[in-house]
Amino acid sequence: MMAASDAAAFLTYTTKALYLDDGEMAVIDPEGVTISSFVNGERKTKPVYEINWQPGEESKGAHRHYMHKEIHEQPDSCTNTMRGRMLPKEGLVKLGGLEEVADRLRGANNLIITSCGTSYYAALYGEYLLEEYAEIPVSCELSSEFRYRDAPMDEKTAVLAISQSGETIDTLEAVREAKRHGALSLGLVNVVGSTIARETDAGVYLHAGPEIGVASTKAFTSELVALNLLALFLGRQRRLSPSQAREILEGLEETPDLMRKVLAQEDKIVFLVDKYIEAENYLFLGRSYQYPIALEGALKLKEISYRHAEGYAAGEMKHGPIALVDPHFPTVALIPQSSTYEKMWNNIEEIKARRGTVIAVASQGDPQIATLADDVFYVPKIPEPLAPLLTVIPLQLFAYHLAERLNREIDQPRNLAKSVTVE
Ligand code: M6R
């Protein structure tokens, strides 16, 4: 008989993995998988889930923290999210997990996206994208609120749950609520075989690989990529022409290389952290596709550095937060080339007029921003809807290096758990 630890090791080095509960042993051979009880030898049947994680992915390698490793893995994790799913020449996206429900999706009247924390910010990004590409009415709901509301839903509603872990209790309960109303439930999940993946009618796996740091990084960017794929899938069903889809797919294909260029500028972030180390409070501002990234930048900073940060839609500045601005309260302003560039510029001018300091995240080839902001971090030029995949990286690195300078418990921040399985 194989010891449980040996059986677990054996399973780790196979391409197919099974849940191994206490008292059960799994044997994998070319004929299939047999699970039997250690206690009475009785055979059991369990579902099999294919996991594309490789042995060693769960180690820190040369990095001091999992979070640092996971930030640097993003070009590869995003590539894995795209792999085998894009046909740029045809302007098509293939999502095997949605094939069975494609007709129901085509007939859906609206889409509700529900999630928590970082995954909720991905949902907000998805709202802009799905409305632009697929012209489907979208609303985003925090799962912890949605599950207790009486939101109108029926069989013509699609509800998409986004969750790295697939185990977040509020998101799971939101899915169950949607199903009780007869809505089509979809999952966008990283962990294969997780509860949300099993309970939704259909879905798309992120394939980002194991994310161990409590602060989500690579799962977030994979969520953004998967939302692009979903928006293209629905877009082609509804309004996007093959050539429009092709252009977006080509942009997506280039993104991992551009992410590498951003990561290569990590020393600039170390310099900025040094400069702003005394600041106790930060404001993050963005508009349109950059608004969810402002929220995510503030959350990352709070989670691991324990410094106070607020994320805001820049257009809301005048409605309150501008009162906070003073020389000791830096603003991180997301201002890549976009349709809202001029508006963001005006917001930065308003902050500067009140003697605030501004760190701008801007596009390469924009020399004028350096005449306005105190510091600028440049990211490569990219189509506007894809820019969040680049602008979020300096924010992740800023939070990471600030937390490191402050000697925080980066991978296991105080009071936080990787998945929130109780209310
Ligand atoms: O596993 P999920 O994506 O459902 O988790 C949702 C949130 O708990 C999670 O994103 C949390 O906000 C992270 N710690 C953010 O870094």
Side-chain angles (χ1 to χ4, degrees):
M1 184 187 291
M2 199 188 299
S5 57
D6 292 340
F10 172 66
L11 287 171
T12 306
Y13 288 96
T14 60
T15 50
K16 288 191 196 294
L18 293 176
Y19 289 122
L20 201 67
D21 297 330
D22 279 346
E24 289 173 356
M25 184 180 77
V27 176
I28 302 171
D29 61 27
E31 304 305 313
V33 180
T34 317
I35 302 167
S36 47
S37 163
F38 278 128
V39 185
N40 55 16
E42 189 185 304
R43 292 198 167 193
K44 301 185 171 186
T45 321
K46 294 239 170 179
V48 179
Y49 301 101
E50 283 205 31
I51 298 173
N52 68 346
W53 299 352
Q54 298 302 317
E57 274 189 72
E58 71 294 346
S59 94
K60 266 188 273 194
H63 300 265
R64 273 168 58 83
H65 299 96
Y66 282 110
M67 184 184 175
H68 192 255
K69 174 178 179 250
E70 288 157 9
I71 290 172
H72 279 268
E73 279 173 349
Q74 291 178 107
D76 293 329
S77 47
C78 286
T79 301
N80 288 338
T81 308
M82 296 176 214
R83 196 183 305 285
R85 291 168 161 175
M86 310 203 307
L87 302 169
K89 275 195 202 133
E90 293 85 344
L92 282 175
V93 163
K94 264 177 74 81
L95 294 171
L98 297 187
E99 262 162 34
E100 274 188 22
V101 297
D103 286 341
R104 244 185 115 183
L105 271 173
R106 192 177 283 112
N109 288 338
N110 65 315
L111 177 70
I112 299 173
I113 315 181
T114 185
S115 43
C116 302
T118 286
S119 294
Y120 176 69
Y121 302 148
L124 292 177
Y125 167 83
E127 182 178 24
Y128 286 94
L129 202 66
L130 283 146
E131 288 185 348
E132 182 174 336
Y133 291 2
E135 276 180 0
I136 182 168
V138 180
S139 62
C140 292
E141 308 287 348
L142 287 166
S143 304
S144 52
E145 293 294 321
F146 181 62
R147 60 181 285 204
Y148 295 115
R149 279 189 18 221
D150 205 4
M153 281 182 275
D154 58 25
E155 64 288 347
K156 288 277 193 187
T157 307
V159 174
L160 172 69
I162 306 182
S163 175
Q164 186 287 132
S165 61
E167 302 295 347
T168 301
I169 189 68
D170 284 325
T171 308
L172 176 60
E173 288 299 336
V175 166
R176 291 175 175 161
E177 183 62 18
K179 291 179 85 168
R180 278 192 283 274
H181 283 76
L184 172 67
S185 63
L186 306 171
L188 210 148
V189 169
N190 194 35
V191 178
V192 174
S194 55
T195 313
I196 293 174
R198 283 184 279 121
E199 291 204 14
T200 40
D201 296 318
V204 177
Y205 278 121
L206 301 179
H207 298 313
E211 187 181 68
I212 292 163
V214 165
S216 186
T217 53
K218 67 174 181 173
F220 178 67
T221 44
S222 281
E223 285 170 354
L224 303 192
V225 169
L227 283 161
N228 271 276
L229 300 179
L230 177 66
L232 284 165
F233 185 86
L234 295 182
R236 282 307 315 280
Q237 282 187 335
R238 288 163 189 256
R239 66 170 286 269
L240 277 189
S241 68
S243 64
Q244 287 170 314
R246 185 179 314 126
E247 210 176 298
I248 300 159
L249 286 166
E250 285 168 359
L252 267 172
E253 272 185 328
E254 280 176 25
T255 307
D257 277 342
L258 301 181
M259 290 174 123
R260 286 188 188 94
K261 290 187 176 150
V262 178
L263 288 163
Q265 301 179 67
E266 188 168 3
D267 55 338
K268 291 187 189 152
I269 297 291
V270 175
F271 165 82
L272 288 172
V273 164
D274 227 36
K275 183 167 170 186
Y276 291 93
I277 189 91
E278 300 299 336
E280 296 283 348
N281 305 287
Y282 288 83
L283 186 61
F284 286 74
L285 294 181
R287 281 174 180 262
S288 182
Y289 284 104
Q290 296 297 331
Y291 162 48
I293 305 308
L295 297 175
E296 172 61 3
L299 179 66
K300 282 293 87 92
L301 201 80
K302 279 184 271 214
E303 272 190 298
I304 59 165
S305 77
Y306 314 152
R307 288 272 157 97
H308 171 240
E310 302 235 15
Y312 255 91
E316 282 287 295
M317 274 292 285
K318 282 204 178 83
H319 301 281
I322 200 158
L324 295 168
V325 170
D326 71 23
H328 310 292
F329 187 36
T331 296
V332 178
L334 303 170
I335 181 169
Q337 270 191 342
S338 73
S339 49
T340 56
Y341 183 91
E342 307 300 333
K343 300 274 176 203
M344 271 307 294
W345 180 277
N346 295 343
N347 290 127
I348 298 175
E349 274 183 338
E350 284 160 2
I351 296 166
K352 290 307 302 169
R354 284 153 187 88
R355 297 174 46 245
T357 43
V358 174
I359 307 168
V361 177
S363 299
Q364 267 155 9
D366 177 5
Q368 61 169 359
I369 190 69
T371 64
L372 181 64
D374 298 85
D375 291 284
V376 184
F377 184 94
Y378 288 104
V379 298
K381 281 190 198 155
I382 190 166
E384 183 175 352
L386 298 177
L389 286 160
L390 305 186
T391 55
V392 75
I393 294 175
L395 310 193
Q396 295 168 339
L397 287 170
F398 190 84
Y400 173 81
H401 284 288
L402 181 60
E404 211 202 9
R405 281 289 305 276
L406 298 172
N407 280 323
R408 306 302 196 216
E409 315 83 324
I410 292 180
D411 284 329
Q412 295 274 301
R414 67 185 182 201
N415 311 335
L416 294 176
K418 184 64 184 158
S419 41
V420 183
T421 53
V422 286
E423 267 195 89

